[in-house]
Amino acid sequence: MDDVKRILQQVASGRLSVEQAEEQLSGISRLDYATLDLARSARTGFPEVVYGEGKSASQLVGIMERLREHQKLVLVTRASEQQADKVRKRWPDVQYIAEARLLLSTKEPLVPERDGYVAVVAAGTSDWQVAQEAAWTARCFGSEVKVIVDVGVAGIHRLFQRLEEIRGASVIVCVAGMEGALASVLAGLVDKPVIAVPTSVGYGASFGGVSALLTMLNSCANGVAVVNIDNGFGAGYLAGMIHRQSAQPQ
């Protein structure tokens, strides 16, 4: 009610237009090519994230401009270098994380907001981009993240060398292509939730990640949740939600 009164007073004084007031009251901002959910953070604890793929650079700039007016953090996933160049010409402060294909605009530095950390465990270096997408998403959610890479089942002794570090995490994201066996192996060794991310890494019969997806869905180990192929963002988001619920604020 106080917010409504404040908005009406600003309209009465001429500091706010009727259109701007409507936008703030409804939580919806409309562009010719997008309808933005400005109230998502209040409902879910995390603001709307933009999926960059398929959008023109001009559309992305328009969307980000509106979101930057209302959000402390704006995250764009699957952003190309061409899109990033256009965005960063408009706002040099926006960070392009090429290894994760993310655009990140923040009004405050990203710092861990709670105890503990999320472990992002990648089977191979070829899974790096998806792992980084998961890691940076979880960081945006307020989690500290440790990325552990190249510990797949082809050389399983490498996994055991990092096992205590993995076991120390509050939540584990497991990123693997090929046959995707790492998630099952890992879930049988830890007492924390494992979020499995199948990747499209692999030869012909991996069917672009379907083989890893089916392996993870049919895991014999318990405590495994599976997201879509190459969906590092979805895994990082879920890891951040679980960590937020289970950890103490710093």
Side-chain angles (χ1 to χ4, degrees), residues 153 156 159-160 163 174 180-190 219 221 224:
V153 297
I156 202 166
L159 175 64
F160 294 122
L163 192 54
C174 177
L182 181 61
S184 294
V185 172
L186 194 54
L189 295 170
V190 301
S219 174
V224 179

Side-chain angles (χ1 to χ4, degrees), residues 117-138:
Y117 58 91
V118 173
V120 176
V121 183
T125 309
S126 296
D127 302 308
W128 181 258
Q129 189 174 81
V130 176
Q132 287 298 320
E133 184 181 58
W136 278 99
T137 301

Side-chain angles (χ1 to χ4, degrees), residues 23-29 34-51 55 63 66-67 70-77 137 141 233-234 237 241 244:
E23 186 173 280
Q24 290 190 26
L25 289 169
S26 68
I28 296 294
S29 181
T35 302
L36 307 179
D37 183 0
L38 304 179
R40 188 171 303 186
S41 182
R43 294 196 317 273
T44 69
F46 201 68
E48 181 170 17
V49 174
V50 182
Y51 183 75
K55 294 179 175 66
I63 291 168
R66 189 64 56 88
L67 291 180
H70 296 274
Q71 298 178 182
K72 293 181 180 179
L73 182 147
V74 179
L75 180 64
V76 179
T77 67
T137 301
F141 218 100
F233 166 74
Y237 190 103
M241 291 186 73
R244 184 179 63 183

